[in-house]
Each structure stands twice: as structure tokens, then as C-alpha cells.
Amino acid sequence: MSYLDTLNERQRQAVEQIEGPVLIMAGAGSGKTKALTCRIAYMLEQGIRLQNILAITFTNKAAQEMRERVHHLVGAEADKLWMYTFHSFGARFLRREINNHPPFTDKFTIYDSDDSKQMIKNILKELNLDDKQYPPRNIQARISAAKNALQGPESFRAEASGNFYNEKIADVYDLYDKYMKQNNALDFDDLLFATTKLLADETIRRRWQDHFHYILIDEYQDTNHAQYLMAKYIAGKSQNICAVGDADQSIYSWRGADLRNIMDFREDYPSAQIIKLEQNYRSTQTILNAANAVIKNNVERLEKRLWTENNPGVHLQKYAASDEHNEADFIVESMMKEHGENHVPYGKMSVLYRMNAQSRVIEESMVKRGIAYTMVGGTRFYDRAEIRDMLAYLKLVANFRDDISLMRIINVPRRGIGQTTIQKLSEFSKQGNMSMFEGIMSLEESDIPVLARTKLQKFSALIFSFLNASTEGDVFTLIQKIMTDTEYLSVLQQSSDPQAQSREENLGELLNVAKDFIQEQPEGGLPEFLEKVALVNDVDSFEEQDDKVTLMTIHSAKGLEFPIVYMAGMDEGIFPGVRSLMDETALEEERRLCYVAITRAKEKLYLTTSAVRTMYGQVKPYVESRFLKEIPVDLLDEIRGNSSEAKRRTLIRSNNEQKSKWALSSAGIENKPVAKKSVKARFDWQVGDKVSHRMWGKGQVAEVTGSGKHMMLKLIFPNDQIRQVMVAFAPIEKEE
């Protein structure tokens, strides 16, 4: 049987339509990976050369899965396929082209988030800016957003003009850019920013257009402006671009993803073929009906409806808890029941929540009952101190201009180089417009005391010995040498710290990583190894474990699936989050997030709410999430607790409903966000008035309640869509 015979009609269409622009609207669980891999195999069968195909995914895990599937279809030839994430493609592109972008060279270091934040901290000190008034993480996010929008320091400053706070951030951005160039370092955003800037050059762009005649992009709805332009530049000549995505799963606007990229695909490529993959192979029809019912309430979407040939399945299970502790106990007891009575391994279950803070009480309940769990989004392996230390040594060996890495390990393990010496070295290096390592090479011209100079020169000799080792052997041998010659390992072995053994074991695991790398890339050297570890994320390393429940945020769960899923915190102000309640655009993204969560479940879905929760040290009442109310009641079974608990929940919930008629949690009322509106609110509305809304269009007022700033309207729009809004915050205008 040919692989084509295993495809449904729409999948086969997606595979065989290889010329011209194509948008594959792939619903959750619709077999898009299968369609993509078969498409690549089919292209090769049609005589298209492997090196002329570029395939882009968003995670290394997805890229590896696709590569393995293509390998299964076409053999070892698949190993030569250009299959990368956007960031890893950018890194490979820049190794070849960045010498055209001085002062950077192809020996650049990739700074991770912590490296970047450390540089910002150093700059804040240099500028005498209070890190409480200017939190490094916030500034990092602002710079990241600017780069994703292809905004350099100069244009950022121009936009910041007249705003004191933003002008200070512009000062930080200026120095950040300056020091990144001095250090020959790129952050994650630079891998996209610099790539896009270089592709804007016609000579470079044509070179890569001549290389890639076909481009495939997965998760197109998650692309930001830089990624969008990268794809457009490369596809510009042939127009053979295949974008795969689902507008209903666009959930990353907070990191720059632009829904318009997929919504306007046909505007960018007028001849585009649109193919919908709506048959789901993952979930029961009941679960899909719930997902369809929720997402249809969004206005900004491309219409599709998931269906399946799977069994209808059981109803969704709803539990209304009295508080978050009762909610957690129910979840854990339900898991124990599924495990004991239905013999479901704990590894087939997952708890999803909107905010990380929700996990604490669930963890406590699981520990109390002896249920093992794993968390996605905890401390990453590569974020552990001992691993970061080893990687800092490796980064400095690869790039002597890397001051951030040097400052991390210049006195680790302790070698008598104190902060005073480091500060003097830093000042001396800046005066001479040198990196700190170059400064060590020129100490004769400094006022650093002789004893300190000797220690610094001994350190530089150590680094040079590692450089020699890197040219003579592999990464595994180099790491071993660093661990031994720095005495890092022996210090741990002699330590009485109870964590020392664990840290030693982690270093052993780093050696395993190096060994695996050598097997995967026999020709790969230190730059390639550093590139590989820099671009790993949590989801890449996620492995389902039979004996452990998985706890994670909904954002982390994207792309995963579990037979049994628990969605905790289905309360207004929790999910949707309080900041989205008065912003239609944000609310629609929250609903898409709910859609993603529901479609992670294969067989059973539990939804839990809580009448009260302790948030920020205060007990606050909550009402059911509007998303829960959007699920038809005939798809839900409500689970009852004991009678006294049930009465308590009913009383609390009844009081909450009185306090929040319009389904706003008390948290939402107490912390009203500033609405994004372009018109001044007016309070003279009457039944029958014509209304215009920027997203919903033209409608009519059906009901008016309250007055002044408490005025609420029920609005009817075309297709009998009913919306309820608070006038003070809604972006509505009266049609005269």
C-alpha cells in the first residue's frame, strides 16, 4: 500500500498541491504532521531535489519527529533535509552570512535569556537606574518586542521621544546593542532580526531564493513579524510556500505572534489554495463538540469545524469546588480512581492550568497522597548553575569577546579573583574599547596590582589550554578537561553540601549530552554543540512517563495530548484571566487557549471551578468561567461532592452570582484593566439604538441595565449574535 492510500481526501489534496502558495488549515489532531511528511516524500518522488526544500517548525521536537517520519518514507536521504526551527535556521544562516553584517563574525556566541538579562542588569548599574523601577525582565521583554517588530535602537528611541520612562529604556537598548556587538554575541531575537535584515539585501536574498525553491512552515499562526518576513523573502521568487496552521490555536501574541499573518495569507498570496483539515484523529466527538461550541464565539477566525470517526465518548465531567484545596483534592482523588478502578497509568493523565501559581495546592495534594508527578516549565536542565558554569567556559573558549560568560566563571571555582579586580579589569577594558579577555592580554598597561595580574594571567592560560583542546579533540573530551583542570568536579566531590551529589550527576548528564551530539553530528564542533543546547526548550525535552502525572500550563501543553485531561480553575478572572475581561482581542486569545486545552484530551475531560480562591493573600469569590458556560449542558455531567460540601458550594456560588451578575469575578472588579478604546464612553443608550463595534460590526441595543459607569448593554449583531458589554470599557459607537 502506498503512503498516499493512508491519507484522507483533504490530506491527499494537501500533499499533491505542491506548486504555488498553499494554506493548510489544520485543526487540532487532524494529522498535519502526517500530511507534511507525506508532502515532502511526494515532492521527492516528483523529482524535486532535497536541498531545494526548506521546512520550518517551531520546536526541535516537532522538527525531529518530522525528520524521522520522512526518513521512514524515503530512507537516509531525509537526514540531509533542511528541517529546522526558525531560530536554528537563523543560526545556520548567520554562520554563513553574518560576516556581511559587521562587526559580527561567524564565531558569534548565542546568549540565552539569562545571559541577556545579566547584561541588562550590568547596564542598569552603569546608568545608575534602579532595577525596581526598571525591572530587568520588563526591559528585556521591551527590547525583545522591538526586535521582533524589526525595530532597532534608533527607531525605538525615535518612538520613545517625549516619554521619560521609554527614553531610559532606549538608553538601555543603545548600550545593550553596543555591548552585544562588542561581545560578538546574539540573543534569541537577533537570530531572527539579523537574518531578516540580511535577507533584505537583494544579493543575499537571491542567493537563498536560488537555493530554496519550496518552503514549508508549520504553526504559521504563531509567526511574528520577523518570521513572517523571513518566509516571505525566501518564498518571494518561486511563490512555492506551504503554510500550515490553525487560527483557532493562535495563543502567543504576548511573545509577538501576529494572527493577521495567517488571516491575511490570501492577501499576501492572491493565488493561494486553501485546504481545510477538519477530520480529527485524536479525540472523541463529545470533546470536539465542546471545543467547537467554545471557539465559535470568536469573531476573528477562519471557519472550520472538527469532526471524527472515533466513538462519541463519555460526557465531560464538571466539578464545582468550595475552594482551591477542595478542587485539588477532587482532582487527585479522581486520578486515583481512574488509576485504581480503570487501570489508567498516571502518565496518561495531565492537569492543565492557566497560571503557574495554580499548581501549588495541586502539588501539595498529590504529595499528601503519594502520587508522583512531573512538571513542564520547572527549572530547565540547562538553567542549573553547574550546567551554566560549564557552558560559560565553553562559550568563552568559542568566543573570547564574550564578557558575560567570562564574568560568570572568572572566579568559579574560586581562584582568588575578587570583585575589586573584576571591576578594575572591566573599567580598563572599556577604556581601551576591548573585551575583558583582551584586557587580560594587555595588563601591563593597567593599574591592576601585580598579584591580581598573575591570577588573571593564570586564568587566561587555562582558557588558552581549553582552546587548544577544542581544536585537537571533540566536545566530550573538552568538557572532561574543563571539569578536571578547573577542579570544578573535585570541589563538588569534596563538598559537604547535600546538593553536591545532584550537581555532580547533572554534570555527568552534560557529558551524556556531548556524547549524543558526537553520534548525531560526527563532524560538528564546539560552535554547533553550543548552538544545539542554546536552542533547546522545555517541550523539546518532555517525555511522557507511565508512572507520573504531568502538570503544566496550557501554553506548555500545545502540541501534546493525553487520554485524560483535567482543566483546573475554570473561573471568571482566572480563565479567562482578569486582564482580558475588558479587551475583546485579549478575550478571543483566551478563548483560543481554552480551545487548545480542550483538544489536548483524547478520551476524558474534567473541568473544575472553585467558589472562592486565595489570591495574593486575600480570599476572593469567583463565578464560573464564561468558557464553561459556552459548552452545551447536554455535553456535561456535574459531579456532586458530599451533601454538606455541596450546600456550602451552592451558598457561596449563589452569593457570587449576586455580586457579579455579568460574570466578572471580584478580582476583575477590584483590578479593572484600562480598556483599549478609541472613543469616549457615553451613557445615554436606549433600547433600539444602533451601535457600531470595531470587531463585531453594526448591531442594535436589546436591553439596558444600570446607569452611569455601571451601565450594561445587551447587543444583538447579525446572525443573532448576542453580546453583553460594560459601556465604560467597551469600544462602541452610537450610529446616529
Side-chain angles (χ1 to χ4, degrees):
M1 180 190 297
S2 166
Y3 62 87
L4 293 175
D5 297 329
T6 67
L7 304 171
N8 65 41
E9 183 182 346
R10 294 291 180 84
Q11 287 175 328
R12 185 154 182 163
Q13 185 184 355
V15 166
E16 295 179 340
Q17 183 62 51
I18 59 176
E19 299 296 330
V22 179
L23 174 62
I24 302 174
M25 291 169 51
S30 62
K32 65 164 184 171
T33 303
K34 181 178 183 179
L36 275 174
T37 52
C38 289
R39 181 181 173 93
I40 293 171
Y42 184 78
M43 291 165 74
L44 296 176
E45 281 186 2
Q46 301 307 302
I48 296 169
R49 298 167 67 195
L50 196 70
Q51 58 265 39
N52 295 143
I53 303 171
L54 172 63
I56 301 285
T57 67
F58 265 80
T59 66
N60 294 308
K61 186 173 183 177
Q64 185 59 31
E65 182 185 357
M66 284 183 62
R67 190 184 298 278
E68 289 171 357
R69 291 201 191 188
V70 175
H71 184 110
H72 178 73
L73 291 174
V74 304
E77 188 181 4
D79 299 338
K80 301 174 185 176
L81 180 66
W82 279 70
M83 177 90 68
Y84 296 100
T85 65
F86 271 107
H87 289 89
S88 57
F89 170 75
R92 183 161 182 181
F93 171 92
L94 292 169
R95 293 289 181 201
R96 299 189 180 193
E97 297 287 357
I98 203 165
N99 290 328
N100 296 307
H101 187 43
F104 294 103
T105 75
D106 58 7
K107 303 296 184 187
F108 63 83
T109 300
I110 300 174
Y111 277 3
D112 63 19
S113 180
D114 281 349
D115 295 327
S116 166
K117 190 162 61 177
Q118 184 59 56
M119 179 175 282
I120 290 170
K121 287 179 179 177
N122 297 344
I123 292 168
L124 290 173
K125 286 181 182 177
E126 183 177 339
L127 295 174
N128 292 316
L129 294 175
D130 184 359
D131 63 4
K132 291 183 174 59
Q133 188 177 359
Y134 300 91
R137 190 177 295 278
N138 291 359
I139 294 177
Q140 186 181 35
R142 292 288 299 277
I143 293 173
S144 175
K147 289 184 178 183
N148 287 331
L150 303 179
Q151 194 175 34
E154 290 183 5
S155 60
F156 185 91
R157 179 172 293 283
E159 196 173 279
S161 180
N163 183 305
F164 180 81
Y165 188 86
N166 288 344
E167 285 178 347
K168 292 300 178 185
I169 295 178
D171 291 342
V172 177
Y173 192 3
D174 281 339
L175 285 180
Y176 183 85
D177 184 67
K178 175 185 174 182
Y179 293 149
M180 291 293 281
K181 289 173 178 174
Q182 286 184 1
N183 289 9
N184 194 28
L186 302 173
D187 60 26
F188 288 154
D189 299 309
D190 286 325
L191 297 178
L192 308 179
F193 189 21
T195 297
T196 306
K197 284 181 70 174
L198 284 167
L199 283 169
D201 180 277
E202 187 176 354
T203 302
I204 296 173
R205 185 168 67 251
R206 285 187 178 276
R207 184 157 58 242
W208 287 84
Q209 287 176 344
D210 291 340
H211 187 174
F212 297 120
H213 303 167
Y214 298 85
I215 179 170
L216 297 86
I217 303 175
D218 195 14
E219 306 288 3
Y220 193 72
Q221 78 280 348
D222 293 334
T223 52
N224 60 31
H225 186 56
Q227 291 162 333
Y228 161 80
L229 271 185
M230 282 170 62
K232 196 168 185 179
Y233 279 144
I234 296 173
K237 188 175 180 179
S238 68
Q239 295 281 291
N240 291 328
I241 180 171
C242 175
V244 185
D246 182 3
D248 290 337
Q249 296 188 72
S250 179
I251 59 174
Y252 295 117
S253 66
W254 48 273
R255 68 183 190 194
D258 188 349
L259 180 63
R260 303 311 314 176
N261 292 346
I262 191 168
M263 296 292 290
D264 297 341
F265 187 84
R266 186 162 263 169
E267 289 184 24
D268 292 323
Y269 305 96
S271 63
Q273 297 288 316
I274 310 296
I275 302 169
K276 296 181 183 181
L277 302 185
E278 297 173 295
Q279 183 175 356
N280 177 282
Y281 294 91
R282 174 188 299 159
S283 307
T284 67
Q285 189 62 58
T286 300
I287 291 170
L288 296 181
N289 288 344
N292 289 330
V294 171
I295 201 62
K296 75 176 184 181
N297 291 281
N298 272 7
V299 176
E300 285 286 294
R301 63 187 297 258
L302 300 170
E303 183 60 37
K304 69 176 186 318
R305 185 174 181 84
L306 296 180
W307 62 276
T308 186
E309 293 179 347
N310 297 339
N311 292 329
V314 298
H315 284 183
L316 280 62
Q317 306 295 300
K318 170 188 168 184
Y319 181 76
S322 56
D323 58 28
E324 69 268 35
H325 297 283
N326 177 239
E327 177 185 47
D329 288 344
F330 165 76
I331 290 171
V332 176
E333 288 165 8
S334 171
M335 287 176 175
M336 294 172 69
K337 186 176 179 180
E338 290 282 4
H339 181 71
E341 295 181 9
N342 300 328
H343 309 293
V344 181
Y346 284 121
K348 303 296 182 183
M349 308 179 203
S350 178
V351 184
L352 308 183
Y353 34 81
R354 180 63 182 87
M355 311 178 289
N356 274 307
Q358 291 173 253
S359 75
R360 181 187 61 83
V361 288
I362 300 171
E363 289 182 72
E364 289 175 356
S365 186
M366 296 186 78
V367 169
K368 187 165 63 178
R369 291 165 174 80
I371 304 233
Y373 63 91
T374 184
M375 292 187 71
V376 176
T379 302
R380 291 187 337 135
F381 174 77
Y382 294 107
D383 288 341
R384 293 165 185 168
E386 60 276 13
I387 303 301
R388 295 192 64 81
D389 291 343
M390 281 302 114
L391 292 179
Y393 274 106
L394 294 174
K395 288 178 181 179
L396 185 58
V397 170
N399 174 20
F400 285 172
R401 288 162 55 182
D402 185 351
D403 286 356
I404 295 294
S405 293
L406 180 142
M407 291 177 73
R408 182 178 182 92
I409 46 86
I410 194 169
N411 197 41
V412 177
R414 297 185 184 278
R415 48 178 66 92
I417 302 174
Q419 282 302 311
T420 302
T421 299
I422 295 171
Q423 185 62 33
K424 285 185 176 181
L425 174 62
S426 176
E427 291 170 358
F428 169 69
S429 302
K430 283 178 182 175
Q431 289 169 4
N433 201 26
M434 301 178 287
S435 71
M436 291 176 71
F437 197 86
E438 289 170 330
I440 297 174
M441 300 295 99
S442 307
L443 288 177
E444 294 76 12
E445 304 168 20
S446 76
D447 61 354
I448 296 174
V450 174
L451 181 60
R453 287 187 195 180
T454 303
K455 292 176 180 177
L456 289 170
Q457 288 165 341
K458 189 175 179 181
F459 169 74
S460 68
L462 190 66
I463 300 301
F464 273 117
S465 73
F466 298 152
L467 175 63
N468 292 333
S470 72
T471 61
E472 295 168 359
D474 55 38
V475 175
F476 180 89
T477 307
L478 174 61
I479 296 173
Q480 279 188 317
K481 182 176 176 63
I482 293 171
M483 289 179 185
T484 303
D485 292 4
T486 61
E487 299 182 354
Y488 197 106
L489 201 56
S490 62
V491 168
L492 282 179
Q493 291 168 342
Q494 295 165 22
S495 173
S496 57
D497 185 342
Q499 295 298 317
Q501 183 177 347
S502 175
R503 296 178 69 189
E504 187 181 344
E505 290 168 352
N506 289 334
L507 290 175
E509 183 59 26
L510 182 63
L511 287 171
N512 291 338
V513 173
K515 186 173 285 185
D516 290 343
F517 169 77
I518 293 167
Q519 292 174 346
E520 293 167 7
Q521 300 186 45
E523 303 301 319
L526 180 56
E528 289 78 16
F529 177 76
L530 289 171
E531 193 174 295
K532 175 183 170 68
V533 299
L535 299 174
V536 170
N537 61 37
D538 287 344
V539 176
D540 292 333
S541 56
F542 171 74
E543 295 288 342
E544 189 178 287
Q545 302 178 56
D546 281 347
D547 59 341
K548 291 183 180 180
V549 176
T550 301
L551 308 184
M552 65 177 84
T553 65
I554 302 169
H555 281 100
S556 297
K558 187 151 182 296
L560 303 177
E561 60 184 44
F562 299 88
I564 299 177
V565 169
Y566 294 82
M567 289 175 60
M570 296 296 292
D571 302 298
E572 202 78 354
I574 301 294
F575 193 26
V578 66
R579 293 183 181 179
S580 69
L581 294 178
M582 299 300 176
D583 183 335
E584 287 84 3
T585 300
L587 186 59
E588 291 216 347
E589 178 150 332
E590 289 282 288
R591 186 174 280 108
R592 292 194 292 271
L593 190 60
C594 183
Y595 174 82
V596 167
I598 292 172
T599 54
R600 297 313 92 195
K602 297 169 69 175
E603 299 169 10
K604 287 186 181 180
L605 179 61
Y606 290 83
L607 305 146
T608 63
T609 73
S610 180
V612 299
R613 295 181 184 275
T614 304
M615 299 293 290
Y616 305 104
Q618 295 184 328
V619 178
K620 295 182 178 181
Y622 286 87
V623 298
E624 283 183 6
S625 167
R626 69 187 68 196
F627 302 153
L628 187 52
K629 293 178 178 179
E630 288 168 357
I631 298 172
V633 292
D634 60 355
L635 300 178
L636 289 165
D637 286 339
E638 188 158 357
I639 300 173
R640 305 278 180 188
N642 63 62
S643 58
S644 60
E645 186 68 32
K647 287 179 182 177
R648 184 183 171 211
R649 288 199 306 269
T650 301
L651 179 62
I652 295 172
R653 188 68 78 183
S654 175
N655 290 336
N656 292 356
E657 294 286 354
Q658 291 298 316
K659 292 179 182 179
S660 186
K661 181 180 179 182
W662 300 100
L664 295 173
S665 72
S666 65
I669 294 171
E670 293 169 11
N671 303 289
K672 285 175 184 166
V674 177
K676 296 179 180 178
K677 59 182 190 290
S678 58
V679 295
K680 186 176 180 180
R682 55 191 297 174
F683 304 99
D684 57 347
W685 294 95
Q686 297 180 2
V687 174
D689 283 348
K690 304 294 184 183
V691 63
S692 175
H693 187 280
R694 65 190 181 195
M695 288 179 62
W696 304 328
K698 298 184 186 298
Q700 189 173 16
V701 178
E703 183 180 319
V704 181
T705 57
S707 61
K709 64 181 182 180
H710 301 296
M711 180 179 283
M712 306 287 296
L713 304 180
K714 180 181 286 186
L715 308 175
I716 299 179
F717 291 94
N719 301 321
D720 294 326
Q721 289 189 71
I722 298 175
R723 304 283 181 176
Q724 294 172 333
V725 300
M726 182 176 282
V727 174
F729 298 98
I732 55 176
E733 295 182 82
K734 183 178 287 189
E735 293 282 295
E736 303 295 348

